[in-house]
Amino acid sequence: LAKTTQPISMDSYEGQEVNITCSHNNIATNDYITWYQQFPSQGPRFIIQGYKTKVTNEVASLFIPADRKSSTLSLPRVSLSDTAVYYCLVGAPMDSSYKLIFGSGTRLLVRP
Amino acid sequence: EPEVTQTPSHQVTQMGQEVILRCVPISNHLYFYWYRQILGQKVEFLVSFYNNEISEKSEIFDDQFSVERPDGSNFTLKIRSTKLEDSAMYFCASSLGGRDGTYEQYFGPGTRLTVT
């Protein structure tokens, strides 16, 4: 399984765009990149998933360069409610189990 | 929006006792999972379940743990003889396994297990 590296914590202010970068140098051909969000005492929640280039949904954008060795989660105009831990995960969802291997994540604090 | 539910929300038990944590996955999902998170630590994979059998289990999931899907709706995690170190938040998750195009896992709200 590809190891991921992301910042331990980030601070931002309401209304700003936040970009969280994740390194995954050993990503395999079949691996997808997935981001989850977790609030205290709640289960993780899927944000976005991609394989290459750019993916956008109503919540976030995911930028993946051509070599796929890193990815950037972009949260536009964050609010206080975006304060959470954000996890970057790399794995091959076609595996029969597709277990999610969580790292320590990035603790995002959004200030007023 | 469909959601994964878990009961109880909090379970307190004495060391050595058996506990059963219950989950109702999203109805048309095919893949089921248990994860746990010790307070202040990472979310850890325990076991995955597909087609009425375990697909994969972690080192944590030893002989004290078992899972069952007794009917078409429930998915349970049993710990036969609880230890203090089993105290954690246990999350159930379910997935369509890619049939929705995203392989998204939907997590329940968790059961906080406290072993005294």
Side-chain angles (χ1 to χ4, degrees):
Chain A
L1 289 169
K3 179 177 163 54
T4 60
T5 303
Q6 54 184 122
I8 295 173
S9 64
M10 294 181 69
D11 278 17
S12 183
Y13 291 93
E14 279 191 292
Q16 289 190 332
E17 178 183 77
V18 170
N19 296 307
I20 306 174
T21 297
C22 178
S23 300
H24 27 81
N25 290 317
N26 296 321
I27 191 168
T29 303
N30 291 337
D31 287 344
Y32 279 64
I33 300 150
T34 311
W35 287 79
Y36 279 78
Q37 173 193 56
Q38 186 181 28
F39 298 112
S41 299
Q42 293 188 27
R45 186 172 73 102
F46 174 93
I47 301 174
I48 198 165
Q49 183 178 78
Y51 184 80
K52 61 180 179 181
T53 64
K54 177 184 174 182
V55 181
T56 297
N57 62 22
E58 64 277 6
V59 175
S61 294
L62 178 59
F63 299 91
I64 305 168
D67 66 6
R68 304 200 326 124
K69 294 183 184 299
S70 66
S71 58
T72 300
L73 173 73
S74 181
L75 304 172
R77 297 180 298 283
V78 293
S79 64
L80 296 177
S81 62
D82 292 317
T83 292
V85 180
Y86 292 82
Y87 299 98
C88 166
L89 296 93
V90 172
M94 288 75 72
D95 292 345
S96 61
S97 70
Y98 188 37
K99 63 189 178 197
L100 297 179
I101 303 299
F102 288 85
S104 301
T106 297
R107 194 170 298 273
L108 173 66
L109 174 62
V110 180
R111 301 177 188 274
Chain B
E1 182 178 319
E3 57 183 20
V4 175
T5 60
Q6 291 185 242
T7 54
S9 56
H10 192 188
Q11 173 91 48
V12 181
T13 190
Q14 288 190 326
M15 197 166 50
Q17 295 297 304
E18 175 184 285
V19 294
I20 298 176
L21 309 183
R22 302 181 191 279
C23 169
V24 178
I26 294 173
S27 61
N28 62 337
H29 282 190
L30 303 171
Y31 295 79
F32 312 108
Y33 307 84
W34 284 100
Y35 295 83
R36 81 171 187 190
Q37 187 172 32
I38 296 170
L39 188 63
Q41 298 188 23
K42 302 175 188 178
V43 177
E44 299 174 290
F45 167 78
L46 293 179
V47 65
S48 58
F49 192 87
Y50 171 69
N51 202 25
N52 286 318
E53 61 182 24
I54 290 174
S55 305
E56 189 170 353
K57 57 185 180 180
S58 71
E59 292 178 354
I60 302 168
F61 195 90
D62 61 20
D63 291 345
Q64 294 301 310
F65 290 85
S66 63
V67 290
E68 197 176 37
R69 189 155 160 81
D71 51 44
S73 59
N74 292 284
F75 181 50
T76 62
L77 174 69
K78 182 194 291 187
I79 309 175
R80 288 190 185 78
S81 178
T82 50
K83 303 188 283 283
L84 293 175
E85 53 266 38
D86 293 328
S87 295
M89 182 77 95
Y90 287 80
F91 295 109
C92 173
S94 69
S95 166
L96 272 170
R99 286 158 180 79
D100 60 350
T102 68
Y103 306 96
E104 175 179 352
Q105 290 187 24
Y106 293 75
F107 283 75
T111 292
R112 180 166 298 285
L113 177 64
T114 302
V115 182
T116 62

